[in-house]
Amino acid sequence: MAIADSQLLAWLREKALVPEELLRACLDRAEAEGDRRGAVEERALTLLLEEGALPEADLAAQIAAHFGLETVDLAGGVPDPEVLSLLPADLARSHQLLPLASTGRELRLATANPLDTAGTDLVAERLRRPVTPRVAPRSALREAIARAYPLPGEPAGSAEAPGPPPGEDSPTGVPGPPAVEVEGLAPDATPGEAPVVRYVQHLLEEAFRRRASDLHLEPLEHRFRVRYRVDGVLQEGENPPKRLQASLLSRVKLLAGLSLAERRLPQDGRITARLGGRPVDLRVSSLPTAHGESLVLRILDREGLRRGLGELGLLADDRARFGELLARPDGVVLVTGPTGSGKSTTLYSVLHALNRPDRKLITVEDPVEYELAGINQVQVRPEVGMTFASALRALLRQAPNVIMVGEIRDRETAAIVVQASLTGHLVFSTLHTNDAPSAITRLLDLGIPPFLVAASLRGVVAQRLVRRVCPHCAEPALPEEWERRALALPPGTLAGADCRRGAGCARCAGTGYHGRIGLFELLPFGEELSTRIDGAVTLGELRQRARALGLRTLREDGIRKVLAGSTTAAEVLHATPPGEGDRAAGAEVPAGA
């Protein structure tokens, strides 16, 4: 019952039905007294009831009213033996459920905690009939179950408390009811909530083992799907039984601090877990769908923030130019690209490189993905008026040296970013554009005057992510002929190249790829380009001028990394738009490539 009791405690805290100090004191006392795994929450609830702060009858009535259920009076008497025979004694005791009546195909059950959906789902699955819960006070339910299902040696109708948990021996030496195996979980699992706890932990550890960036829990019509996003590609894992959907989702929501009662609106939360021997942050997003709540857990490994610019994929010449941008005392540096292109990782790596005791760094983010030591991080909260723009106005009075704005979404934010750069601040932010020159026209479209763009912008970095060739099974391999034509590689380019591909091994799960690397398009914004900025400038003109000044496109940077053996031609073609001359080469990409 560990999870269900945890859910009930979370619900009591959310509804402020119990003073927080008393709740905390009961939990601390239960932890000190507890010597049986999973009993802390159950003991804490018992202590609350013993303190009289939470009368059982009142609690049952409030729970029933909240979930739109009826209450039931279990004082005296035992339900019809024919009805009791529908539910095995071990299942009744382990989940604290009591069958009341069978009407048609429906079975009515008494429960003290309707949040324990694992129990009712298990009964419905076993009996293949719908179950309708009724809410009863906890102690009255226990006494009724003890009367209805007496232990060996007890007379029928005994009002003694039920025996020990499944699989445990009683103090008198009489074995407790046998553990009931829950199909699809650990082989030693019991029907209580502990298997769900272990299964969720298993999912998190499996996601970390696979190096997944996301864990997707997706309710479908007839199954519950689990998928991992590894190196940007979704991989389906082993799916748990559909009947465990509610329990698994409730467990994750509980860990993330989400409202268990809210299933109609999206929610966001966080989990801090210890995986692989180190702390890992997980950002949890809940989205109601036609068949239940879809949860996505973004795995934020703090170790990834300590990457140097070379580890991101910047080659030596680009790394030197990017270093010059970071050394500027003021101005705006933009990182652009679509969702999932690694912009946040680049910005956090920049902050890590700039974080020194003699500098004050402040970020404005939505959400704060990583918590960084020594950096002041501000969470955007539009519901209370804390927008990007309002947060920026306030933080300028905090005298920062470096500012990071999670994203420029509107004219007001763009204007404040530009103003901050003109008053002596170095500002980093992101834009959703396809390439570096497009960032300039995007600022103009947002209403920033051309002269302010020219005065404030210091550089733009566009980027994409491609999968890295697995170093454990890499072998020499030149690109296919169609790939050479698609990349418009001039004759002789492959001479002396170190092109590689992964043969597939246990380290990369047979994919041939292990990890990802960035492709970059770096555009320093100097006087030669700023003089071309006016209200009539077109994107084509900006691209031509940038190319004349030596801009290397995303695809060209990708080609360099193909020739160096870091990635493959197929990855570059998939991630980058074609450059000038590619279509003229007459290359056609085969279907499914």
Side-chain angles (χ1 to χ4, degrees):
M1 294 291 290
I3 287 186
D5 289 330
S6 297
Q7 293 168 347
L8 187 52
L9 286 173
W11 182 80
L12 293 173
R13 176 180 276 130
E14 180 184 332
K15 299 301 178 183
L17 297 178
V18 179
E20 179 68 26
E21 299 79 6
L22 178 60
L23 182 59
R24 186 68 258 169
C26 290
L27 281 168
D28 292 343
R29 181 177 165 189
E31 289 176 358
E33 295 177 357
D35 60 354
R36 178 167 62 85
R37 181 179 177 182
V40 172
E41 294 85 358
E42 180 182 358
R43 178 61 180 153
L45 283 170
T46 302
L47 290 172
L48 282 172
L49 297 173
E50 289 176 353
E51 292 288 338
L54 198 64
E56 283 191 292
D58 292 349
L59 173 61
Q62 292 194 56
I63 291 175
H66 179 78
F67 291 100
L69 302 174
E70 297 179 12
T71 57
V72 61
D73 183 6
L74 299 177
V78 175
D80 188 320
E82 186 176 344
V83 176
L84 291 177
S85 67
L86 296 174
L87 189 63
D90 56 350
L91 190 55
R93 291 193 190 97
S94 62
H95 279 283
Q96 289 293 284
L97 298 172
L98 181 67
L100 300 173
S102 178
T103 58
R105 293 193 64 249
E106 178 188 79
L107 177 66
R108 293 178 185 170
L109 288 175
T111 177
N113 185 3
L115 287 171
D116 181 14
T117 56
T120 53
D121 287 350
L122 188 58
V123 173
E125 175 72 16
R126 281 198 171 193
L127 302 182
R128 299 189 180 278
R129 60 197 303 181
V131 169
T132 302
R134 299 287 188 268
V135 182
R138 179 175 292 241
S139 61
L141 178 63
R142 289 190 176 190
E143 293 174 2
I145 292 174
R147 290 193 301 268
Y149 299 99
L151 290 172
E154 283 186 356
S158 171
E160 295 297 319
E168 295 192 11
D169 290 343
S170 70
T172 61
V174 178
V180 178
E181 184 174 329
V182 178
E183 180 184 355
L185 297 183
D188 60 344
T190 63
E193 297 290 1
V196 179
V197 175
R198 292 198 295 272
Y199 192 76
V200 170
Q201 182 67 23
H202 162 73
L203 289 177
L204 297 180
E205 291 174 350
E206 178 67 10
F208 189 80
R209 185 191 68 78
R210 294 190 184 207
R211 304 176 293 101
S213 59
D214 304 280
L215 169 61
H216 296 249
L217 307 178
E218 302 169 312
L220 304 179
E221 184 176 4
H222 300 296
R223 63 191 180 108
F224 184 52
R225 183 168 64 181
V226 173
R227 293 197 287 178
Y228 306 89
R229 188 178 296 277
V230 182
D231 296 335
V233 179
L234 281 171
Q235 301 175 358
E236 187 159 348
E238 183 178 353
N239 298 325
K242 175 71 172 177
R243 58 184 167 78
L244 297 176
Q245 172 181 310
S247 297
L248 293 173
L249 295 180
S250 294
R251 172 62 178 169
V252 176
K253 290 176 67 176
L254 177 68
L255 292 173
L258 305 182
S259 172
L260 299 172
E262 181 56 72
R263 300 176 183 176
R264 300 166 299 174
L265 297 174
Q267 298 185 75
D268 294 296
R270 298 183 72 90
I271 300 173
T272 299
R274 192 163 189 85
L275 303 173
R278 61 176 186 256
V280 176
D281 295 324
L282 299 100
R283 195 177 78 206
V284 182
S285 172
S286 167
L287 179 68
T289 68
H291 303 292
E293 291 177 281
S294 173
L295 296 184
V296 176
L297 289 75
R298 171 67 60 85
I299 301 170
L300 308 169
D301 185 5
R302 301 175 189 177
E303 295 297 320
L305 303 182
R306 302 184 180 275
R307 295 174 180 168
L309 299 180
E311 294 177 81
L312 295 176
L314 285 163
L315 298 180
D317 51 352
D318 284 340
R319 193 159 62 244
R321 290 194 293 171
F322 197 34
E324 293 174 2
L325 294 178
L326 303 188
R328 300 294 292 266
D330 56 24
V332 178
V333 178
L334 297 175
V335 180
T336 75
T339 301
S341 59
K343 301 187 297 297
S344 295
T345 300
T346 298
L347 285 182
Y348 277 114
S349 297
V350 166
L351 292 176
H352 180 72
L354 296 177
N355 189 13
R356 301 201 310 253
D358 61 338
R359 286 177 174 164
K360 180 165 185 175
L361 283 69
I362 302 182
T363 72
V364 184
E365 306 171 63
D366 183 21
V368 175
E369 293 191 352
Y370 298 91
E371 295 182 3
L372 304 176
I375 297 178
N376 299 278
Q377 295 174 269
V378 179
Q379 169 71 56
V380 170
R381 296 175 59 87
E383 67 275 12
V384 297
M386 177 67 87
T387 63
F388 277 109
S390 60
L392 273 170
R393 291 193 195 93
L395 70 82
L396 288 178
R397 295 189 287 273
Q398 297 282 314
N401 301 101
V402 179
I403 299 170
M404 191 271 273
V405 181
E407 182 183 348
I408 296 177
R409 298 178 178 175
D410 51 45
R411 183 187 185 283
E412 187 178 17
T413 303
I416 299 174
V417 164
V418 168
Q419 187 62 38
S421 71
L422 296 176
T423 54
H425 303 89
L426 181 60
V427 185
F428 294 89
S429 190
T430 69
L431 276 176
H432 287 285
T433 64
N434 290 328
D435 58 15
S438 298
I440 300 172
T441 57
R442 175 63 177 150
L443 290 176
L444 296 175
D445 291 341
L446 286 173
I448 306 302
F451 74 93
L452 288 181
V453 174
S456 61
L457 194 60
R458 297 291 179 264
V460 182
V461 180
Q463 68 178 74
R464 298 290 190 279
L465 289 177
V466 294
R467 291 184 289 176
R468 190 192 296 263
V469 172
C470 176
H472 308 289
C473 60
E475 58 184 21
L478 294 177
E480 301 287 344
E481 180 59 33
W482 68 266
E483 291 174 330
R484 301 180 203 178
R485 294 199 307 270
L487 291 174
L489 295 179
T493 303
L494 297 178
D498 187 24
C499 299
R500 299 184 175 209
R501 70 178 176 191
C505 65
R507 298 283 190 92
C508 62
T511 63
Y513 298 99
H514 190 283
R516 289 193 285 180
I517 189 173
L519 306 183
F520 296 92
E521 182 176 287
L522 186 58
L523 177 62
F525 198 76
E527 183 178 352
E528 301 88 347
L529 194 58
S530 63
T531 56
R532 301 289 179 129
I533 303 301
D534 59 49
V537 69
T538 66
L539 179 58
E541 292 170 344
L542 286 174
R543 283 187 180 137
Q544 289 180 3
R545 184 56 183 166
R547 293 285 284 167
L549 294 172
L551 174 71
R552 184 184 298 110
T553 66
L554 288 164
R555 177 158 291 189
E556 288 171 338
D557 190 50
I559 291 173
R560 292 203 300 171
K561 284 159 182 153
V562 170
L563 299 180
S566 300
T567 189
T568 63
E571 282 291 298
V572 173
L573 288 169
H574 176 73
T576 61
E580 293 182 10
D582 287 344
R583 296 191 182 279
E588 292 186 1
V589 180

